[in-house]
């Protein structure tokens, strides 16, 4: 309308308006998002995190709580039985004096020998290895005590039982969580009249051993005259004879302490959820400095005793859960989400599937996880390592930042074009650009650098910022203001160039405006490589794809200016080198202005970090 009122041909203004409408829409955004997510998923796979649900790549960046298993995720899952307590004395080796305890450790398991390899669940392998190292051979003992029945481990019972034939009839060996076994024991196999069996004193011993970070298993037995029927099997686990406690060590993964501290500095709360004894979990948590050393633990029974409202008040403070069932995992997820948190939850069992599905990010274990858990998850940890989760969160933040950078870049550029074309006729100046110029800028200047942002590496501060809020607009944190003022600046520089060229009566004024706009956008792409860091601190060549895209943009623009065939096609004219230098100098003002903006942001960011540290 402004152009028509000024006397420009109607069709010229229709084409200009349509070209500007095309340029104003960031049509490369879907491609940039898809490429960013795909590249992110590919990089995460190299870090042992398999993404099943592509949007989860970006969603990871919003995580505020990571609820993680202990065994195999925080620890190496390389268990070693290194200590026993028979109810009277401590020992580091098994001898004939502890014959029945040694037999139970050797044969009450599903461990298989395949050549020299020992295959089985890590806890059982640890028991088997200690027995084997002390001369108790499973094959020989099974000939003497053949297996006739098994009661599998159950998460609610927290124990498992095997029944074997023996000379006097049958013998059942029971192993599992100490409190579930010891309270069902009536006597001790190795206690004497002088040192009578005491459930209370043995449970105190459990607390003492677990405070060192070891996992504690209790082993008991019961002699039977006849093999019980299937409906009587549960009765086998009562009126037991205590055989001993076994302390099993499981070293913390070497990468995990650093990963935990990265979480804390990034405003993410790591929470340990385990089926182990509370003393064991608290000792590991202290070593990892969860909650900066302030450990607040809750066991499954205490969790059940709390009302939903009381638990909701406490849930954000608790960083260790022990003796937890899969159903309680779901309760924890829901409570955190009701408090407005974005939750990542790990799991490996069939019963973990509801918690994995309900979590914002469900993470299944690749090594020990079931097919059901993997099917319910958004991400699979191929190495079961907690540090891989933290790397995935950092990658998610990087991808979200890169999408923001693309939007910031392309919307600022489009804004500059709109201001230039809208204000020129209003200010009584001619239309500064032809439709073909607008489409060229949209295709080359916006498109190539925009796609290159997909490969931008993470900023150094990516894990020093708090997680973004779930409902936060992508234009938050000063982005829409940046788009507005940079667009106005680009428009002002282009209009200023146009006015100066018209006053100088230069015939190539349109080419100058076209060149200033192109180079201003290319300079801007370099400036927004980082939201905070200066380009010179960050490194010009940290993203070679962006440098290549900018170089191609420069070369193509020079071709449009100086190659005759393009002069005719794009209605451009060769510029004297002095005027070309002037166009570049004017365009560089955008780069300088954005670097000043980042300097001011940096000062504020550094101040906020130092205040947080204080």
């Amino acid at each position: 309308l402004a152009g028509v009122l000024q006397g420009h041909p109607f069709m010229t203004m229709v084409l200009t308006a349509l070209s500007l409408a095309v340029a104003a829409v960031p049509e490369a955004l879907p491609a940039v998002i898809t490429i960013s997510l795909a590249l992110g998923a590919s990089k995460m796979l190299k870090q042992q995190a398999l993404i099943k649900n592509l949007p989860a790549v970006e969603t990871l960046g919003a995580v505020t709580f990571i609820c993680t298993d202990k065994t195999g995720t925080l620890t190496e899952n390389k268990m070693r039985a290194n200590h026993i307590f028979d109810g009277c004395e401590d020992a580091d080796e098994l001898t004939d004096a502890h014959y029945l305890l040694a037999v139970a450790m050797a044969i009450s398991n599903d461990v298989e020998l395949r050549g020299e390899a020992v295959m089985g669940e890590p806890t059982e392998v640890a028991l088997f290895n200690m027995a084997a190292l002390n001369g108790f051979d499973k094959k020989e003992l099974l000939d003497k005590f053949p297996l006739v029945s098994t009661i599998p481990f159950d998460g609610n019972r927290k124990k498992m039982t095997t029944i074997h034939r023996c000379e006097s009839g049958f013998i059942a060996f029971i192993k599992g969580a100490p409190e579930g076994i010891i309270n069902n024991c009536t006597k001790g196999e190795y206690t004497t009249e002088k040192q009578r069996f005491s459930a209370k004193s043995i449970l105190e011993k459990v607390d003492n051993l677990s405070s060192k970070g070891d996992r504690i298993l209790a082993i008991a037995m019961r002699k039977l005259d006849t093999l019980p029927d299937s409906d009587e099997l549960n009765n086998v686990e009562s009126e037991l004879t205590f055989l001993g406690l076994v302390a099993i060590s499981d070293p913390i993964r070497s990468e995990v302490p650093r990963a935990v501290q990265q979480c804390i500095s990034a405003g993410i709360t790591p929470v340990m959820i385990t089926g182990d004894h509370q003393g064991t979990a608290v000792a590991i948590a202290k070593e990892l400095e969860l909650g900066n050393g302030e450990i607040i633990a809750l066991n499954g029974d205490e969790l059940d005793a709390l009302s939903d409202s009381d638990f909701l008040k406490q849930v954000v403070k608790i960083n260790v859960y022990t003796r937890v069932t899969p159903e309680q995992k779901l309760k924890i997820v829901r409570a955190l989400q009701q408090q407005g948190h974005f939750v990542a939850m790990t799991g490996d069992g069939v019963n973990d599937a509801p918690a994995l599905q309900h979590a914002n990010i469900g993470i299944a274990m690749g090594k020990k996880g079931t097919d059901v858990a993997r099917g319910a998850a958004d991400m699979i940890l191929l190495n079961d390592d907690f540090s891989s989760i933290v790397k995935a969160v950092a990658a998610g933040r990087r991808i979200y930042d890169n999408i923001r950078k693309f939007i910031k870049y392309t919307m600022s550029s489009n804004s500059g074009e709109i201001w230039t074309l809208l204000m020129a006729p209003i200010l009584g100046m001619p239309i500064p650009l032809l439709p073909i110029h607008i489409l060229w800028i949209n295709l080359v200047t916006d498109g190539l650098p925009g796609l290159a942002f997909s490969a931008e590496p993470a900023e150094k501060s990516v894990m020093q910022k708090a997680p973004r809020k779930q409902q936060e607009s992508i234009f938050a944190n000063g982005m829409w203001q940046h788009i507005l003022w940079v667009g106005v600046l680009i428009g002002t520089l282009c209009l200023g160039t146009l006015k100066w060229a018209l006053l100088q009566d230069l015939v190539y004024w349109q080419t100058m405006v076209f060149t200033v706009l192109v180079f201003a956008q290319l300079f801007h792409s370099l400036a927004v490589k980082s939201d905070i860091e200066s380009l010179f601190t960050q490194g010009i060549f940290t993203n070679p794809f962006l440098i290549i895209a900018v170089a191609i943009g420069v070369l193509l623009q020079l071709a449009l200016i100086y190659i005759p065939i393009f002069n005719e096609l794009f209605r451009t004219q060769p510029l004297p080198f002095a005027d070309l230098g002037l166009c570049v100098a004017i365009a560089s003002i955008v780069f300088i202005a954005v670097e000043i903006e980042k300097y001011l942001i940096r000062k504020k960011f550094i101040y906020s970090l130092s205040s947080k540290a204080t």
Side-chain angles (χ1 to χ4, degrees):
L1 180 62
V4 169
L5 291 175
Q6 225 183 5
H8 292 284
F10 178 76
M11 281 309 299
T12 299
M13 293 316 304
V14 168
L15 288 173
T16 302
L18 288 174
S19 301
L20 187 59
V22 171
V25 177
E27 70 282 349
L29 182 59
V32 169
I33 290 175
T34 304
I35 291 170
S36 296
L37 295 179
L39 287 174
S42 176
K43 288 185 177 179
M44 288 182 193
L45 184 58
K46 294 176 183 176
Q47 296 172 342
Q48 302 298 305
L50 174 62
I51 300 297
K52 288 179 55 196
N53 178 17
L54 200 57
V57 175
E58 174 269 324
T59 309
L60 277 161
V63 167
T64 56
F65 269 76
I66 300 177
C67 299
T68 175
D69 293 330
K70 177 184 76 69
T71 304
T73 307
L74 297 175
T75 62
E76 293 181 359
N77 205 21
K78 294 179 180 177
M79 298 190 185
R80 180 175 175 270
N82 53 27
H83 188 83
I84 63 166
F85 174 71
D86 64 7
C88 298
E89 296 178 346
D90 293 279
D92 295 329
E93 293 181 349
L94 291 167
T95 65
D96 289 337
H98 301 107
Y99 180 73
L100 286 174
L101 174 60
V103 169
M105 292 172 66
I107 68 174
S108 183
N109 55 61
D110 293 326
V111 172
E112 294 181 13
L113 285 173
R114 297 179 186 173
E116 294 184 0
V118 181
M119 309 299 293
E121 198 275 328
T123 305
E124 295 193 334
V125 169
L127 299 178
F128 169 87
N129 283 337
M130 187 176 191
L133 287 170
N134 288 281
F136 294 90
D137 182 81
K138 178 176 181 176
K139 188 176 180 181
E140 291 179 3
L141 290 171
L142 278 176
D143 290 338
K144 188 174 181 181
F145 300 94
L147 178 68
V148 293
S149 184
T150 299
I151 306 176
F153 177 84
D154 179 84
N156 293 318
R157 289 169 35 251
K158 295 184 176 64
K159 60 175 81 77
M160 69 89 66
T161 296
T162 58
I163 302 174
H164 304 260
R165 191 181 300 278
C166 64
E167 292 178 357
S168 59
F170 299 89
I171 186 169
F173 293 115
I174 302 95
K175 67 177 185 292
E179 55 269 34
I181 291 178
I182 295 167
N183 288 325
N184 285 322
C185 291
T186 57
K187 59 182 179 178
E189 176 69 14
Y190 304 112
T191 53
T192 62
E193 285 295 323
K194 194 172 184 180
Q195 291 179 299
R196 292 184 178 182
F197 174 78
S198 167
K200 182 181 178 182
S201 64
I202 293 176
L203 286 172
E204 288 174 355
K205 184 68 175 181
V206 170
D207 291 338
N208 177 263
L209 291 172
S210 62
S211 67
K212 300 172 184 176
D214 287 343
R215 186 179 186 186
I216 310 302
L217 283 184
I219 300 178
M221 71 172 192
R222 180 176 177 180
K223 291 183 178 179
L224 307 164
D225 295 327
T226 59
L227 183 67
D229 295 332
S230 58
D231 56 348
E232 296 177 328
L233 285 176
N234 290 334
N235 295 330
V236 171
E237 295 174 343
S238 60
E239 298 182 15
L240 305 177
T241 299
F242 178 75
L243 293 179
L245 301 175
V246 183
I248 302 173
S249 62
D250 186 11
I252 292 173
R253 289 180 181 267
S254 59
E255 312 91 343
V256 167
R258 181 173 178 271
V260 166
Q261 293 311 307
Q262 279 185 316
C263 279
I264 294 169
S265 67
I268 302 168
T269 304
V271 175
M272 181 196 299
I273 299 179
T274 178
D276 280 354
H277 186 274
Q278 188 161 308
T280 303
V282 169
I284 296 292
K286 286 180 178 177
E287 191 172 346
L288 291 174
E289 296 185 1
L290 291 185
N292 284 321
E294 186 180 348
I295 308 301
I296 301 176
L298 193 73
N299 67 41
D301 291 338
E302 292 169 337
L303 177 54
D304 282 338
L306 287 173
S307 66
D308 289 343
S309 58
D310 287 340
F311 180 55
L312 197 61
K313 295 174 185 176
Q314 299 180 36
V315 66
V316 296
K317 301 176 184 177
I318 301 164
N319 46 30
V320 174
Y321 293 89
T322 60
R323 300 297 194 215
V324 170
T325 64
E327 293 76 17
Q328 290 171 328
K329 280 188 172 185
L330 180 58
K331 184 176 181 178
I332 294 165
V333 168
R334 284 177 169 162
L336 287 170
Q337 288 174 333
Q338 286 177 40
Q339 291 283 38
H341 288 283
F342 208 79
V343 185
M345 170 68 77
T346 68
D348 54 24
V350 172
N351 293 335
D352 287 332
L356 294 178
Q357 284 184 318
H358 202 81
N360 301 97
I361 297 290
I363 304 170
M365 300 297 108
K367 286 185 176 180
K368 61 179 181 176
T370 61
D371 289 340
V372 174
R374 289 192 286 264
D378 301 294
M379 184 172 90
I380 299 172
L381 283 187
L382 300 180
N383 60 355
D384 295 2
D385 188 347
F386 176 81
S387 64
S388 294
I389 303 175
V390 180
K391 291 173 184 175
V393 169
R397 290 188 173 194
R398 178 186 69 82
I399 289 161
Y400 184 78
D401 286 349
N402 287 350
I403 293 170
R404 272 178 53 93
K405 288 170 188 175
F406 167 77
I407 294 174
K408 180 190 285 190
Y409 164 69
T410 193
M411 295 294 282
S412 299
S413 300
N414 294 352
S415 174
E417 294 171 41
I418 292 168
W419 284 112
T420 301
L421 285 163
L422 181 64
M423 296 305 297
I426 291 175
L427 295 174
M429 291 185 280
I431 299 298
L433 297 171
L434 297 174
I436 196 170
H437 296 157
I438 299 169
L439 295 176
W440 172 261
I441 292 169
N442 190 47
L443 178 66
V444 178
T445 315
D446 285 0
L448 289 177
L451 291 171
F453 279 121
S454 302
E456 186 66 31
E459 296 188 37
K460 294 176 183 177
S461 61
V462 72
M463 291 298 280
Q464 294 178 315
K465 298 182 288 188
R468 70 177 189 277
K469 296 176 182 177
Q470 294 181 48
Q471 305 303 323
E472 180 181 278
S473 166
I474 200 164
F475 294 101
N477 300 315
M479 192 162 109
W480 71 265
Q481 295 95 326
H482 176 93
I483 291 170
L484 182 62
W485 79 258
V486 171
V488 169
L489 177 61
I490 291 174
T492 302
L493 295 174
C494 291
L495 293 173
T497 302
L498 173 58
K499 186 67 175 177
W500 178 83
L502 291 173
L503 289 174
Q504 299 299 315
D505 201 22
L506 301 177
V507 294
Y508 44 79
W509 57 268
Q510 200 166 54
T511 303
M512 288 191 70
V513 175
F514 182 28
T515 303
V516 168
L517 185 55
V518 167
F519 279 103
Q521 293 185 8
L522 294 177
F523 273 119
H524 185 234
S525 71
L526 294 173
V528 295
K529 265 172 57 67
S530 170
D531 289 330
I532 296 177
E533 281 187 275
S534 165
L535 175 66
F536 306 107
T537 304
Q538 184 187 22
I540 296 174
F541 299 103
T542 52
N543 184 357
F545 296 103
L546 182 59
I547 299 302
I548 291 169
V550 170
I552 290 172
V554 170
L555 292 174
L556 289 175
Q557 185 62 24
L558 293 176
L560 263 59
I561 296 171
Y562 294 108
I563 296 178
I565 190 172
F566 291 129
N567 292 156
E568 185 177 344
L569 183 62
F570 286 87
R571 308 283 181 85
T572 56
Q573 295 171 280
L575 297 178
F577 288 127
D579 287 343
L580 176 65
L582 178 63
C583 290
V584 174
I586 292 171
S588 68
I589 292 172
V590 174
F591 176 83
I592 296 167
V594 176
E595 284 291 332
I596 292 171
E597 179 197 38
K598 290 194 293 183
Y599 170 74
L600 297 174
I601 293 172
R602 246 185 344 265
K603 287 187 69 176
K604 183 179 178 182
F605 179 73
I606 292 169
Y607 174 76
S608 67
L609 279 182
S610 61
S611 299
K612 188 195 297 185
T614 304

